[in-house]
Amino acid sequence: MVKIGLSLPTAGPDASSDAITTVAEAADRIGLDSLWSFERLLSPVGEVDMFGRKGPMPEIYHTVYSPLETLAYVAGRTSRVRLGTSVIVALLHNPVALARSMATLDQLSGGRLIAGLGQGWMPQEFDAAGVDMARQGAGFGEFIEAMRAVWGPDPVSFDGKFYSITPSKVNPKPAQPGGPPIIVGASTPASIRRTARTKLGLNPLWFGWESLESSIGAFHTAARDAGIDPAELPVVVRVNQPLSAAPAEGDATPVGSPDQVAEILPRLKKLGVTEIFWPLGSDIDQGLGLMERLVDQTR
């Protein structure tokens, strides 16, 4: 069964503690599997280069609640729904500090955290964090190795090119043995292969069937080449458009109505997708109603 999740209303002019509370408590009640937050360090007032397209930052990024603090708050308002980040820009952080924060949240939530990490794309954020963007790639892989070391048994030690941890006791450890599952917002062929070879999950964006099939196919091929069973690796798809009240035209996709989405979940499962989540849209009550309909049809 493909798990079903929801993005928390943590960004844009409508983000608020009341909205986050309403959505979190409803998600727990109606049986959703997961709730998700994301990170945006800042929103430059000038033009930015977003994946080859220059222009102003979308308004939704002008306000973004910090992801781990939000999930800690949500953990206290819920009892069973899992709590994920999609994504935290790992290289803007220190691996020991981020690993300890995530371990603390995993303990406070009773082992419900999913650690979604990405490499980032905005030079202005790297400048603000004092980190060279050249650290992407090998530095990102080393960051994750250092985090995994922190989640392992004491004494923790790590000696890499970019990060070093002198033998130390670092606690608390996560509630989940070995640490929370890690999924990576990988999109380039090299990053997808690296994610598979290091036994991490994949967190692709929905850009259409062809793109999704290509990304997951490359991910599974790289896993098999490394002697890893692809079935062991989660694939969590992020959709940036909400469900629709009326059926979408054409082939059913994850951005159609609850009925259409229920029809395509078996196709997603066959591809290897283990979980998928959506934002709510501007009408929270309507969005929660659509998500509840989807849960009812798929459980």
Side-chain angles (χ1 to χ4, degrees), residues 37-267:
S37 63
F38 74 96
E39 180 173 56
R40 185 87 284 132
L41 190 62
L42 46 80
S43 180
V45 297
E47 284 193 340
V48 295
D49 188 341
M50 298 181 66
F51 311 106
R53 181 177 58 83
K54 290 187 177 181
M57 286 287 283
E59 184 183 7
I60 192 172
Y61 294 133
H62 295 180
T63 298
V64 180
Y65 280 48
S66 296
L68 293 184
E69 291 87 341
T70 299
L71 293 181
Y73 172 78
V74 167
R77 295 281 182 164
T78 58
S79 61
R80 45 153 297 278
V81 68
R82 289 152 56 248
L83 310 171
T85 58
S86 177
V87 292
I88 284 177
V89 184
L91 296 176
L92 305 182
H93 301 267
N94 172 277
V96 177
L98 184 59
R100 287 185 70 248
S101 293
M102 286 186 161
T104 299
L105 176 53
D106 201 49
Q107 282 287 348
L108 294 175
S109 66
R112 291 189 276 152
L113 180 63
I114 306 164
L117 303 176
Q119 298 206 57
W121 56 269
M122 191 194 301
Q124 293 90 333
E125 288 187 326
F126 282 80
D127 290 343
V131 178
D132 189 342
M133 284 191 77
R135 191 170 292 187
Q136 291 177 321
F140 179 67
E142 189 175 296
F143 187 103
I144 293 175
E145 289 180 37
M147 284 188 64
R148 283 173 153 173
V150 171
W151 291 341
D154 288 330
V156 172
S157 64
F158 187 81
D159 186 17
K161 178 180 179 182
F162 303 101
Y163 304 103
S164 179
I165 306 171
T166 192
S168 306
K169 295 181 179 180
V170 186
N171 291 283
K173 301 301 181 186
Q176 299 176 77
I182 299 175
I183 60 173
V184 177
S187 57
T188 66
S191 62
I192 288 172
R193 289 193 298 270
R194 186 185 308 112
T195 299
R197 289 196 302 265
T198 50
K199 296 188 73 172
L200 303 174
L202 186 67
N203 183 205
L205 279 171
W206 169 259
F207 288 119
W209 287 110
E210 184 177 353
S211 173
L212 187 65
E213 289 168 353
S214 175
S215 294
I216 296 177
F219 180 63
H220 286 172
T221 296
R224 284 190 290 267
D225 289 346
I228 300 166
D229 181 0
E232 298 177 1
L233 306 180
V235 176
V236 181
V237 176
R238 175 176 175 168
V239 183
N240 281 340
Q241 293 175 262
L243 299 181
S244 59
E249 295 183 3
D251 293 336
T253 74
V255 294
S257 68
D259 292 344
Q260 289 176 313
V261 171
E263 290 178 5
I264 59 93
L265 287 181
R267 180 177 177 181

